[in-house]
Amino acid sequence: MKDRACISFDNEKMIFHIKTRKTSYIIAVIDGFLAHAYYGTRLEGSLTLNHLMVEDIAFLQGNIGEEGTFMDSFPFEYPSDGQGDFRCPGISIKNDKHITGCNLKYEDYRILQGRRAIKGLPYSNGKDISSLEIVLKDVNNLVEVTLSYSVFYESDIITKNVIVKSISHRTITLNTVMSSSLDIPYDETEVISLPGSWARERMIERTKIGHGQIVLASDRGISSHQMNPAFAVVSKDTTETTGPAWGMALVYSGSFVARIERTQFDRVRIVAGISDNDFEWTLKPGEEFYSPEIAICYSSEGIGNMSRCFHDFVRNNIIRSKYIFKERPVLINNWEATYFDFDSKKLLEIGQKARDAGIEMLVVDDGWFGAREKDNSSLGDWECNTKKIPEGLDGLCDELNDMGLQMGIWFEPEMISPDSDLYRTHPDWALRESGTGYVMCRTQLVLDMTRKEVRDYVYACLSDVFSKTNIKYLKWDMNRPLIGKVSTVTPPGELHHRYMLGVYELQEKLTEQFPYLLIENCCGGGGRFDLGMLYYSPQIWCSDDTDAVERICIQEGTSLFYPPSSMGAHVSVCPNHAVGRITDMKTRGHVALFGTFGYELDITKLSEDEIDVIRQQIDDYKKYSHLIRMGDLYRLISKDDKAAWMFVSKDKTEALLTYVQILGSANKPRVLVRLRGLNPKNNYLTDDGRIYTGDELMNIGFATGKVFGDFKSEIHYFRAVNNTEKDIGEDADEKL
Ligand code: DGJ
């Protein structure tokens, strides 16, 4: 089923029914109010919606039907405040007399083939999208609100965004505009969130919902290391493979908030969108405000299925880069190899060794510009430092190209060092924390991306480098939060959002002018790992923690919503620079294979044995990366002492299993890992020459090797074969 058929409107009952392959999202118009009636397993029959019990919804004894009590219990599809609904609002508006409140009533709807663009923001895209727009009008004639829903039928994802248009004759202020509100029954409901810190991003946390609110938020001007803008609401018993999970991921990279509220009547209201902390957006008559988009998914088959739905959606409908399904070059980045202490001689030495080992690209990280010898100067002076690189970027790039290596480069376009020519010329281009002062972070300040002349300058610097050289990759970094909100041009209440609009504008221009450029977004590691950034770049540096053992947790947390092919993951040197741990080179490779794969070490200091391991790892990457880029991920084991995961090709004829023994123990038996996602009827040949049935592998399990030691790992490749061990393809069942 495609196109319009997945959205229907029953004119008599006034019910909207959005269907995806396995889910239903139902909205009803009741007395002019829009109710969120249901979001869950797909319903096929004719709908009664008797469960809404509208007649006793206003529960205050003796006052059934009274407006105030009705407003505080009705499951609004898009709730507003100031009218008696005391739960967290979707929208909050002040009129010109500073009086808060609007009352939204159903006005109209449209079903579209395709979808409306979201001005200035990243949004889901692709073929075969159907969308529904429901128009609500405020009875006080302040605003018209359009709720927009786009349907991604195959991946069981619906995206939502909101357009608020002023219909007032006077200026009004928006204080809250959430991208979505949902209302689900409380059923021992829990929240899975992804909090963290620098080098400890996206640690999975599961919290019970008591009465009141759980708030997940960032007010740092970036989606942040501390809380990711993606989360799930699940039942107490939901597991990786069973139970309900409602997943949500904002397509946004700035300050955000999600509130999960268990109400007095044991419902759970979930709102999420742009942070409304000090948010004040002024709308003049006729002006519109576009909220960021949010992607939502319901899975009745646990968290693993929810993740796979998100992975398909993100790969097919968020990431636009031509690299999305392509093999990415194996790169080596000089950051952990040299930090700021390098010159072109050193880079060429690294390059030569890297090329000999089979590496395909050298990325020159921080320190190539201005007078940058440490992190306290030159951001903004994007001219090559010819003391370090006398031949210039173009010359260095040519030399690397002649060696057979591509070249990539690091930029931090949003920043300015107080010790820079740019700052000396334009001190007012930096954002301040109060009228005159600023709070230093990593000895740098943030450029005011809300100003056009600033964006024009930054763009000219970027475009100059990519127009004049053959550089094929950009690492776009961002290393500090926005603290204050003092701009010379933009009011504080609009600053964070306008800042993001500025950053998005730059990345959009860049992807248009240099479509071949492989962009990796980065934010002090993974401080801006979100769907907004993935719209512009197929990959994001996952974390500055490159330790293989810690990376297992970071990558697992990230994989709840984001596809492994989007995770920048490198093999780095030991003892690891973030944690001091020593792990096996093989294990480092196996863990980095979970993501984009590359190196972050001084290859000139490695032994020949270690270089041989690199050659083997690159071979593995070439053999298996299609499974990681295009296959389905199954998280199999996630324990303190061991972890296992696998990738299965869409046609189920190939799979790659990774097993890591984190801590060894004496006299330990082999571990039986029960695989998932295979075809039970297929025979699978492993790399040790044995044949198993898919059925056995999934129900009995696959016995790992006798792994000895801490931090050891192994990978196993499975290929569907017929009885003569000849490869079989998509029609595996028939040929057996
Ligand atoms: C933070 C990034 O995450 C690192 O990989 C590196 O690029 C540094 N910034 C450079 O300053």
Side-chain angles (χ1 to χ4, degrees):
M1 185 166 98
K2 290 232 167 89
D3 306 331
R4 284 154 188 259
C6 59
I7 302 173
S8 62
F9 180 56
D10 182 331
N11 225 346
E12 271 170 29
K13 295 182 185 162
M14 300 292 275
I15 296 174
F16 294 95
H17 192 161
I18 301 175
K19 284 182 185 168
T20 67
R21 200 162 54 95
K22 291 185 180 169
T23 71
S24 282
Y25 187 109
I26 299 171
I27 305 164
V29 183
I30 298 171
D31 283 347
F33 292 106
L34 206 62
H36 179 72
Y38 174 76
Y39 184 31
T41 299
R42 178 162 159 156
L43 305 181
E44 300 296 353
S46 109
L47 299 169
T48 67
L49 303 189
N50 288 332
H51 73 287
L52 286 176
M53 296 289 165
V54 183
E55 61 278 14
D56 67 19
I57 216 159
F59 195 68
L60 205 66
Q61 200 71 46
N63 286 342
I64 290 172
E66 192 179 70
E67 201 180 355
T69 48
F70 168 82
M71 296 305 272
D72 204 21
S73 50
F74 189 73
F76 288 103
E77 173 66 13
Y78 196 63
S80 58
D81 70 352
Q83 304 296 320
D85 183 349
F86 290 94
R87 295 160 291 176
C88 41
I91 185 164
S92 176
I93 299 177
K94 275 199 195 92
N95 67 15
D96 62 324
K97 307 262 183 316
H98 299 283
I99 296 170
T100 305
C102 69
N103 190 347
L104 300 173
K105 291 281 189 109
Y106 172 75
E107 184 81 5
D108 200 2
Y109 81 98
R110 294 180 280 271
I111 296 176
L112 315 170
Q113 206 147 20
R115 61 155 309 155
R116 216 198 301 193
I118 308 182
K119 279 185 203 156
L121 286 164
Y123 59 93
S124 53
N125 51 85
K127 291 192 205 116
D128 291 340
I129 307 174
S130 307
S131 55
L132 165 67
E133 293 190 343
I134 301 180
V135 182
L136 305 173
K137 197 172 160 204
D138 171 31
V139 296
N140 306 314
N141 282 324
L142 287 181
V143 288
E144 188 181 89
V145 173
T146 303
L147 307 179
S148 171
Y149 304 80
S150 299
V151 187
F152 298 87
Y153 186 85
E154 290 299 328
S155 47
D156 283 324
I157 296 271
I158 296 170
T159 65
K160 297 167 80 177
N161 69 287
V162 173
I163 302 160
V164 183
K165 180 175 181 187
S166 168
I167 51 171
S168 169
H169 298 301
R170 296 167 198 274
T171 298
I172 58 168
T173 309
L174 308 180
N175 290 116
T176 298
V177 183
M178 292 292 115
S179 303
S180 162
S181 178
L182 281 182
D183 190 295
I184 60 170
Y186 175 77
D187 177 21
E188 301 192 85
T189 310
E190 300 183 345
V191 178
I192 298 178
S193 57
L194 297 174
S197 179
W198 171 76
R200 213 167 1 92
E201 297 91 338
R202 294 173 294 286
M203 298 285 115
I204 300 175
E205 192 166 280
R206 201 159 161 160
T207 318
K208 278 188 177 167
I209 311 183
H211 285 99
Q213 292 181 13
I214 291 180
V215 180
L216 314 172
S218 159
D219 280 306
R220 296 163 190 265
I222 48 176
S223 51
S224 88
H225 306 80
Q226 288 72 13
M227 188 60 73
N228 193 265
F231 61 98
V233 172
V234 297
S235 281
K236 181 170 118 283
D237 299 325
T238 299
T239 67
E240 187 66 17
T241 50
T242 59
W246 290 264
M248 282 156 237
L250 279 162
V251 188
Y252 193 55
S253 318
S255 298
F256 75 93
V257 67
R259 299 192 175 91
I260 300 107
E261 179 173 3
R262 181 174 162 195
T263 72
Q264 56 181 329
F265 301 123
D266 269 345
R267 305 278 310 176
V268 180
R269 176 177 283 181
I270 308 154
V271 298
I274 221 165
S275 168
D276 50 5
N277 186 15
D278 292 335
F279 180 76
E280 284 195 348
W281 194 275
T282 304
L283 278 190
K284 297 207 182 86
E287 280 184 347
E288 290 179 327
F289 177 80
Y290 284 66
S291 86
E293 186 175 40
I294 190 167
I296 62 172
C297 172
Y298 173 76
S299 158
S300 61
E301 298 152 54
I303 301 157
N305 178 57
M306 177 198 83
S307 298
R308 287 185 291 280
C309 291
F310 271 104
H311 296 173
D312 282 342
F313 164 72
V314 175
R315 291 184 293 203
N316 292 317
N317 304 106
I318 290 287
I319 298 175
R320 299 170 302 166
S321 162
K322 70 176 182 102
Y323 286 95
I324 174 60
F325 292 114
K326 285 202 178 143
E327 187 183 293
R328 323 264 165 94
V330 178
L331 63 82
I332 185 161
N333 177 304
N334 74 313
W335 180 239
E336 288 194 30
T338 64
Y339 296 104
F340 296 102
D341 184 18
F342 64 86
D343 55 17
S344 52
K345 186 165 164 279
K346 178 72 195 170
L347 294 175
L348 291 169
E349 273 168 29
I350 293 178
Q352 191 56 62
K353 271 266 177 185
R355 183 62 231 154
D356 293 347
I359 292 171
E360 296 156 315
M361 175 184 275
L362 175 84
V363 175
V364 182
D365 208 282
D366 194 351
W368 58 266
F369 51 91
R372 189 141 163 113
E373 297 299 340
K374 358 186 225 174
D375 64 7
N376 63 359
S377 86
S378 304
L379 292 169
D381 298 346
W382 299 111
E383 292 281 336
C384 181
N385 178 340
T386 45
K387 277 197 196 136
K388 286 184 176 179
I389 308 175
E391 61 273 59
L393 289 180
D394 51 342
L396 178 63
C397 185
D398 290 346
E399 283 169 284
L400 290 169
N401 287 173
D402 289 346
M403 255 179 211
L405 276 179
Q406 296 177 35
M407 179 172 161
I409 196 139
W410 178 98
F411 261 94
E412 196 174 1
E414 298 160 64
M415 294 294 146
I416 178 166
S417 303
D419 179 10
S420 66
D421 291 342
L422 186 65
Y423 188 81
R424 285 181 277 276
T425 322
H426 296 289
D428 61 313
W429 282 13
L431 289 173
R432 305 278 160 166
E433 273 72 43
S434 65
T436 50
Y438 45 74
V439 176
M440 203 67 104
C441 265
R442 211 200 189 205
T443 55
Q444 63 197 52
L445 301 174
V446 184
L447 278 172
D448 186 350
M449 287 300 186
T450 70
R451 290 177 64 167
K452 184 171 179 317
E453 63 274 36
V454 174
R455 296 196 300 275
D456 287 349
Y457 168 81
V458 170
Y459 192 74
C461 296
L462 286 159
S463 132
D464 191 55
V465 166
F466 296 111
S467 318
K468 293 188 178 149
T469 65
N470 192 27
I471 294 177
K472 292 282 168 53
Y473 161 110
L474 162 67
K475 179 173 173 185
W476 176 305
D477 203 351
M478 195 292 183
N479 280 303
R480 63 157 281 177
L482 280 60
I483 296 178
K485 293 184 177 169
V486 185
S487 153
T488 45
V489 297
T490 306
E494 299 190 0
L495 188 93
H496 279 192
H497 186 51
R498 288 205 187 277
Y499 179 92
M500 266 336 299
L501 294 176
V503 172
Y504 288 148
E505 182 193 291
L506 281 183
Q507 295 215 356
E508 182 67 33
K509 268 170 93 172
L510 207 57
T511 51
E512 264 172 24
Q513 195 186 340
F514 305 102
Y516 61 82
L517 202 60
L518 172 55
I519 302 179
E520 176 155 333
N521 266 293
C522 170
C523 178
R528 219 159 46 179
F529 209 115
D530 54 64
L531 298 187
M533 286 287 116
L534 287 175
Y535 184 73
Y536 303 98
S537 63
Q539 59 198 56
I540 299 176
W541 182 229
C542 206
S543 176
D544 277 348
D545 185 350
T546 50
D547 171 66
V549 176
E550 303 247 306
R551 269 297 182 114
I552 294 174
C553 296
I554 295 172
Q555 291 170 184
E556 182 191 348
T558 309
S559 78
L560 287 198
F561 299 92
Y562 307 103
S565 62
S566 68
M567 298 181 203
H570 297 168
V571 174
S572 65
V573 77
C574 276
N576 179 268
H577 291 190
V579 294
R581 185 178 284 124
I582 297 178
T583 51
D584 200 288
M585 182 81 173
K586 243 175 71 187
T587 308
R588 284 178 260 158
H590 290 162
V591 175
L593 258 189
F594 193 100
T596 56
F597 198 75
Y599 292 86
E600 184 107 8
L601 39 72
D602 187 347
I603 197 170
T604 65
K605 295 192 176 138
L606 298 190
S607 66
E608 266 318 302
D609 284 352
E610 285 171 310
I611 302 269
D612 280 345
V613 179
I614 291 186
R615 288 200 182 96
Q616 178 59 50
Q617 287 170 337
I618 294 174
D619 268 5
D620 286 346
Y621 169 76
K622 299 277 169 189
K623 270 195 251 157
Y624 306 132
S625 81
H626 63 288
L627 293 172
I628 294 136
R629 274 178 284 121
M630 296 182 268
D632 286 330
L633 168 72
Y634 291 83
R635 292 176 294 255
L636 304 175
I637 303 176
S638 175
K639 299 224 163 107
D640 286 348
D641 66 336
K642 53 181 169 297
W645 58 86
M646 66 187 290
F647 291 95
V648 182
S649 63
K650 290 280 178 195
D651 65 5
K652 298 182 184 296
T653 60
E654 285 181 281
L656 182 72
L657 166 70
T658 306
Y659 172 75
V660 186
Q661 173 164 294
I662 298 173
L663 290 180
S665 59
N667 201 15
K668 206 175 169 182
R670 289 172 193 268
V671 175
L672 267 184
V673 183
R674 280 209 291 273
L675 308 193
R676 292 190 202 128
L678 301 174
N679 182 339
K681 295 183 192 154
N682 276 358
N683 284 338
Y684 290 93
L685 174 69
T686 63
D687 32 22
D688 66 0
R690 293 177 211 234
I691 294 182
Y692 299 77
T693 66
D695 215 3
E696 277 177 299
L697 288 169
M698 293 196 288
N699 293 298
I700 301 174
F702 175 77
T704 63
K706 277 191 154 287
V707 187
F708 185 72
D710 294 339
F711 321 132
K712 298 287 184 209
S713 64
E714 46 185 44
I715 55 174
H716 298 276
Y717 174 67
F718 299 82
R719 176 163 63 84
V721 290
N722 63 19
N723 291 333
T724 58
E725 298 186 14
K726 221 173 96 210
D727 280 18
I728 55 174
E730 289 184 0
D731 47 350
D733 278 346
E734 281 168 33
K735 289 190 189 165
L736 278 172

